[in-house]
Amino acid sequence: MKTQVLIVGAGASGMTAAVHAARAGAEVMLLEHKDRPGKKILSTGNGRCNMTNLDQKSEYYRCSCPGFADRALDRFTVDDTLDFFKSLGIWPKNRNGYIYPNSDQASSVSEALVEELHRLRVKLICQCHVHRAGKKEGRFEVESTKGLFRADSLILAAGSRAAPVTGSDGSGYDLAAGFGHRIITPLPALVQLRCMEDHYRKLAGVRTEAALSLYADGKYLAGDRGELQLTDYGISGIPVFQISRYGSAALHRKQRVTVKINFLPQMSFREIRAMMEQRRKHMGEKTGSQWMNGLLNSKLSLVLLELAGISRNQKIQTLSDGQWKRLLEEITSYETVVTAANSYENAQVCCGGVDTKQVHEDTMESRLTEGLFFCGEILDVDGICGGYNLQWAWSSGAAAGRSCAGKRRNRG
């Protein structure tokens, strides 16, 4: 008799788990509370779906148990991912290591997974809201708006709280907690940061290359470099997303969070100082705004001059040593106070989730309840931007799907 597998959540990891469980011979039922599967996939990579990344390092996956993700990623690698999607008809496109479907349409990936589910006769039930899950006499029971379902194995792939409009509303955490699993407080990650200073309304729309360093109570936690986007409330862009999970966690701990920004990251501090001195020597007759022209964005330049105590019309040759020093500091280590991360609605993923200390890293099976598995964002694993969270979905989904298919009715 086939092993019966029930999966809650038809996102990237849930559909991957369903495919691998069915390929391993299991009878699979997939429950999704939205009107169709894979809604979050459609928003990834700005609608193009950054499926994975050829540059894989352990530190790109953050978790309270460092290295937890490695086992699943080693067992279902990037090459395995590419082969898997090629088998579904998705031809990969390589953009400097960032992998997309050649169609540049995220819908291609979602549709290919759904087609494979149909081919494998996976039973997919949408608009099915799960209220409770438990285990009775060695079998799992799931109560939902579409009735009571029973199975030999249960996979929770219900996502995090990030982007709830796509279906990730955090409901899976309660199901996991019902089995005794500890939930590390989920917090917005890969998200914009809101800042204290009033001058951001003057900077809205500015994009500039920058290097960022995040501190909590004066202690350095994380840094990144790339295109910074300034908004009317604070900072955004890929480098902000990469460090935001550390800011979220520090703010949750009630720490003072600051970010220092170097607006000329392509040069060393010594090179910047020498360049500025040369400009001061040869362009001393120019006003502050004229002197900054061509160096940084004009809106940003005016704010930095103001913070340095320099009038836009003040001649550079009249600057005091104190003003000059302050301008150098503002350009190379501008500091902003972070008051909050944007909400779950704006976040791509969450940090936190099911504590991985209570999960087997090679199979994604619960250490507390045999036959219960997890995959994807519901776990306390979050990747950096660049296809890493989807790679985690594929790898953890494959691990859970393959492993759960081996469970039998008499295993409880």
Short mmCIF file of all heavy atoms in Angstrom, two decimals, residues 201-226:
data_model
loop_
_atom_site.label_atom_id
_atom_site.label_comp_id
_atom_site.label_asym_id
_atom_site.label_seq_id
_atom_site.Cartn_x
_atom_site.Cartn_y
_atom_site.Cartn_z
N ARG A 201 12.68 63.15 3.41
CA ARG A 201 11.70 63.62 2.43
C ARG A 201 12.38 64.41 1.30
O ARG A 201 11.85 64.49 0.19
CB ARG A 201 10.64 64.48 3.12
CG ARG A 201 11.15 65.76 3.73
CD ARG A 201 10.03 66.51 4.46
NE ARG A 201 10.48 67.78 5.01
CZ ARG A 201 11.09 67.91 6.17
NH1 ARG A 201 11.32 66.83 6.92
NH2 ARG A 201 11.47 69.10 6.60
N LYS A 202 13.56 64.96 1.57
CA LYS A 202 14.32 65.68 0.54
C LYS A 202 15.09 64.71 -0.35
O LYS A 202 15.56 65.10 -1.42
CB LYS A 202 15.31 66.65 1.18
CG LYS A 202 14.71 67.69 2.10
CD LYS A 202 15.80 68.54 2.74
CE LYS A 202 15.26 69.51 3.76
NZ LYS A 202 16.35 70.28 4.43
N LEU A 203 15.24 63.48 0.09
CA LEU A 203 16.08 62.52 -0.62
C LEU A 203 15.29 61.47 -1.39
O LEU A 203 15.89 60.62 -2.08
CB LEU A 203 16.99 61.80 0.39
CG LEU A 203 18.00 62.67 1.13
CD1 LEU A 203 18.67 61.88 2.25
CD2 LEU A 203 19.04 63.21 0.16
N ALA A 204 13.98 61.51 -1.29
CA ALA A 204 13.16 60.49 -1.92
C ALA A 204 13.47 60.37 -3.41
O ALA A 204 13.51 61.36 -4.13
CB ALA A 204 11.68 60.81 -1.72
N GLY A 205 13.71 59.13 -3.84
CA GLY A 205 13.98 58.86 -5.25
C GLY A 205 15.44 58.77 -5.62
O GLY A 205 15.77 58.34 -6.72
N VAL A 206 16.34 59.14 -4.70
CA VAL A 206 17.77 59.08 -5.00
C VAL A 206 18.25 57.63 -5.01
O VAL A 206 17.92 56.85 -4.11
CB VAL A 206 18.58 59.90 -3.97
CG1 VAL A 206 20.09 59.66 -4.17
CG2 VAL A 206 18.26 61.38 -4.09
N ARG A 207 19.03 57.28 -6.00
CA ARG A 207 19.68 55.96 -6.07
C ARG A 207 21.17 56.20 -6.23
O ARG A 207 21.59 57.00 -7.07
CB ARG A 207 19.17 55.14 -7.27
CG ARG A 207 17.71 54.72 -7.17
CD ARG A 207 17.24 54.11 -8.47
NE ARG A 207 15.86 53.67 -8.38
CZ ARG A 207 15.47 52.39 -8.29
NH1 ARG A 207 16.38 51.43 -8.29
NH2 ARG A 207 14.20 52.08 -8.22
N THR A 208 21.97 55.52 -5.44
CA THR A 208 23.41 55.73 -5.49
C THR A 208 24.15 54.51 -4.97
O THR A 208 23.66 53.79 -4.09
CB THR A 208 23.80 56.97 -4.65
OG1 THR A 208 25.20 57.21 -4.75
CG2 THR A 208 23.44 56.79 -3.18
N GLU A 209 25.32 54.25 -5.51
CA GLU A 209 26.18 53.18 -5.01
C GLU A 209 26.63 53.54 -3.60
O GLU A 209 26.99 54.68 -3.31
CB GLU A 209 27.40 53.02 -5.92
CG GLU A 209 28.34 51.90 -5.53
CD GLU A 209 27.84 50.52 -5.93
OE1 GLU A 209 26.81 50.44 -6.62
OE2 GLU A 209 28.48 49.53 -5.54
N ALA A 210 26.61 52.58 -2.69
CA ALA A 210 26.99 52.85 -1.30
C ALA A 210 27.38 51.56 -0.60
O ALA A 210 27.00 50.47 -1.01
CB ALA A 210 25.84 53.53 -0.56
N ALA A 211 28.17 51.73 0.46
CA ALA A 211 28.51 50.62 1.35
C ALA A 211 27.85 50.90 2.69
O ALA A 211 27.97 52.00 3.24
CB ALA A 211 30.02 50.49 1.51
N LEU A 212 27.14 49.91 3.24
CA LEU A 212 26.39 50.08 4.48
C LEU A 212 26.93 49.18 5.58
O LEU A 212 27.33 48.04 5.33
CB LEU A 212 24.91 49.74 4.26
CG LEU A 212 24.03 50.77 3.54
CD1 LEU A 212 24.43 50.94 2.09
CD2 LEU A 212 22.56 50.36 3.62
N SER A 213 26.93 49.69 6.80
CA SER A 213 27.31 48.92 7.98
C SER A 213 26.25 49.14 9.04
O SER A 213 25.91 50.27 9.36
CB SER A 213 28.68 49.38 8.52
OG SER A 213 29.69 49.22 7.55
N LEU A 214 25.71 48.03 9.57
CA LEU A 214 24.64 48.11 10.57
C LEU A 214 25.19 47.80 11.96
O LEU A 214 25.95 46.83 12.14
CB LEU A 214 23.51 47.15 10.21
CG LEU A 214 22.27 47.21 11.10
CD1 LEU A 214 21.01 47.05 10.25
CD2 LEU A 214 22.28 46.12 12.18
N TYR A 215 24.77 48.61 12.94
CA TYR A 215 25.24 48.47 14.32
C TYR A 215 24.04 48.38 15.27
O TYR A 215 23.00 49.00 15.02
CB TYR A 215 26.09 49.67 14.73
CG TYR A 215 27.35 49.85 13.92
CD1 TYR A 215 27.32 50.47 12.67
CD2 TYR A 215 28.58 49.40 14.40
CE1 TYR A 215 28.47 50.63 11.92
CE2 TYR A 215 29.74 49.56 13.66
CZ TYR A 215 29.68 50.17 12.42
OH TYR A 215 30.83 50.34 11.67
N ALA A 216 24.20 47.62 16.34
CA ALA A 216 23.21 47.56 17.40
C ALA A 216 23.91 47.90 18.71
O ALA A 216 24.86 47.22 19.10
CB ALA A 216 22.58 46.17 17.49
N ASP A 217 23.46 48.97 19.35
CA ASP A 217 24.12 49.47 20.57
C ASP A 217 25.62 49.64 20.34
O ASP A 217 26.44 49.31 21.20
CB ASP A 217 23.85 48.55 21.76
CG ASP A 217 22.42 48.63 22.26
OD1 ASP A 217 21.71 49.59 21.89
OD2 ASP A 217 22.00 47.73 23.02
N GLY A 218 25.98 50.10 19.15
CA GLY A 218 27.36 50.39 18.83
C GLY A 218 28.17 49.20 18.35
O GLY A 218 29.33 49.37 17.95
N LYS A 219 27.59 48.00 18.35
CA LYS A 219 28.32 46.80 17.92
C LYS A 219 27.99 46.48 16.46
O LYS A 219 26.82 46.38 16.10
CB LYS A 219 27.95 45.61 18.81
CG LYS A 219 28.68 44.32 18.42
CD LYS A 219 28.24 43.17 19.31
CE LYS A 219 28.93 41.87 18.90
NZ LYS A 219 28.47 40.72 19.73
N TYR A 220 29.03 46.30 15.66
CA TYR A 220 28.83 45.98 14.25
C TYR A 220 28.18 44.60 14.11
O TYR A 220 28.62 43.62 14.72
CB TYR A 220 30.18 45.99 13.52
CG TYR A 220 30.10 45.50 12.08
CD1 TYR A 220 29.70 46.36 11.07
CD2 TYR A 220 30.42 44.19 11.76
CE1 TYR A 220 29.62 45.92 9.74
CE2 TYR A 220 30.35 43.73 10.45
CZ TYR A 220 29.95 44.61 9.45
OH TYR A 220 29.87 44.17 8.16
N LEU A 221 27.12 44.53 13.28
CA LEU A 221 26.43 43.27 13.06
C LEU A 221 26.51 42.78 11.62
O LEU A 221 26.64 41.58 11.38
CB LEU A 221 24.95 43.40 13.44
CG LEU A 221 24.61 43.64 14.91
CD1 LEU A 221 23.10 43.64 15.10
CD2 LEU A 221 25.26 42.60 15.80
N ALA A 222 26.42 43.70 10.65
CA ALA A 222 26.38 43.26 9.26
C ALA A 222 26.67 44.43 8.33
O ALA A 222 26.49 45.60 8.70
CB ALA A 222 25.01 42.66 8.93
N GLY A 223 27.09 44.10 7.12
CA GLY A 223 27.34 45.13 6.12
C GLY A 223 27.13 44.60 4.72
O GLY A 223 27.14 43.38 4.49
N ASP A 224 26.92 45.51 3.77
CA ASP A 224 26.77 45.11 2.39
C ASP A 224 26.99 46.34 1.50
O ASP A 224 26.99 47.47 1.99
CB ASP A 224 25.38 44.52 2.12
CG ASP A 224 25.38 43.65 0.88
OD1 ASP A 224 25.99 42.56 0.92
OD2 ASP A 224 24.78 44.05 -0.13
N ARG A 225 27.16 46.08 0.21
CA ARG A 225 27.42 47.16 -0.74
C ARG A 225 26.58 46.94 -1.99
O ARG A 225 26.38 45.81 -2.42
CB ARG A 225 28.90 47.19 -1.11
CG ARG A 225 29.24 48.18 -2.22
CD ARG A 225 30.72 48.17 -2.55
NE ARG A 225 30.99 48.90 -3.79
CZ ARG A 225 32.19 49.10 -4.30
NH1 ARG A 225 33.26 48.64 -3.66
NH2 ARG A 225 32.34 49.76 -5.43
N GLY A 226 26.08 48.03 -2.56
CA GLY A 226 25.29 47.95 -3.78
C GLY A 226 24.53 49.23 -4.00
O GLY A 226 24.88 50.27 -3.43
#
